[in-house]
Amino acid sequence: MECTINWMGADGMSFVAETGSGHMINMDGAPDGGGRNLAPRPMETVLAGTGGCTAYDVVLILKRGRHAVTGCSVKLQAERAGTDPKVFTKIHFAFTVTGANLPRAAVERAVQLSHEKYCSASAMLEKTAEMTFSVDIVDTQEAAATA
């Protein structure tokens, strides 16, 4: 895996990352750090990548279990250390998983497996951050019956 980061010039703190798979990610800093607030901060992209990694796992695990999952979102709320390096010290993952008749045990197990076995990003961040999780399940079959 590789990634190339290019600074976009002396008039700010904007960077463009080109991933090994050929995709681009823009990043920028806050105005108080010389940036122009034109893109996510680098640490926001770390947090977003972690959320994407674990959501990917949860959906894949549920699909492999032949569960009728139709949606998955995870909201991450993080705290950082007050001094440099300002690592993440706490991260809460709030999952909302949508589908028909999804067993709570299966969804919670998918979240647990992602955290304990599959998500490389959260495994790295766990070295400095206390991680907590919550799961909300939206039953599309139940929602359709009440509509």
Side-chain angles (χ1 to χ4, degrees), residues 67-68 99-104 137-142:
H67 297 287
N101 298 317
L102 294 173
R104 175 164 288 282
I137 299 171
V138 178
D139 190 338
T140 55
Q141 202 159 27
E142 186 177 292

Side-chain angles (χ1 to χ4, degrees), residues 54-136:
T54 192
Y56 181 98
D57 291 341
V58 169
V59 169
L60 189 62
I61 291 164
L62 291 172
K63 282 184 166 194
R64 285 186 176 163
R66 300 194 195 289
H67 297 287
V69 60
T70 57
C72 179
S73 67
V74 58
K75 180 177 183 176
L76 288 78
Q77 293 181 306
E79 294 179 20
R80 293 176 66 188
T83 58
D84 291 326
K86 294 180 182 170
V87 298
F88 291 117
T89 57
K90 292 183 182 181
I91 304 173
H92 179 72
F93 298 74
F95 287 87
T96 301
V97 182
T98 306
N101 298 317
L102 294 173
R104 175 164 288 282
V107 175
E108 289 176 347
R109 179 74 175 142
V111 169
Q112 180 183 12
L113 281 170
S114 174
H115 173 66
E116 292 177 358
K117 186 173 183 178
Y118 297 112
C119 182
S120 306
S122 63
M124 288 186 288
L125 292 179
E126 185 179 43
K127 306 290 187 216
T128 63
E130 171 192 339
M131 295 187 177
T132 57
F133 304 85
S134 62
V135 174
D136 184 32

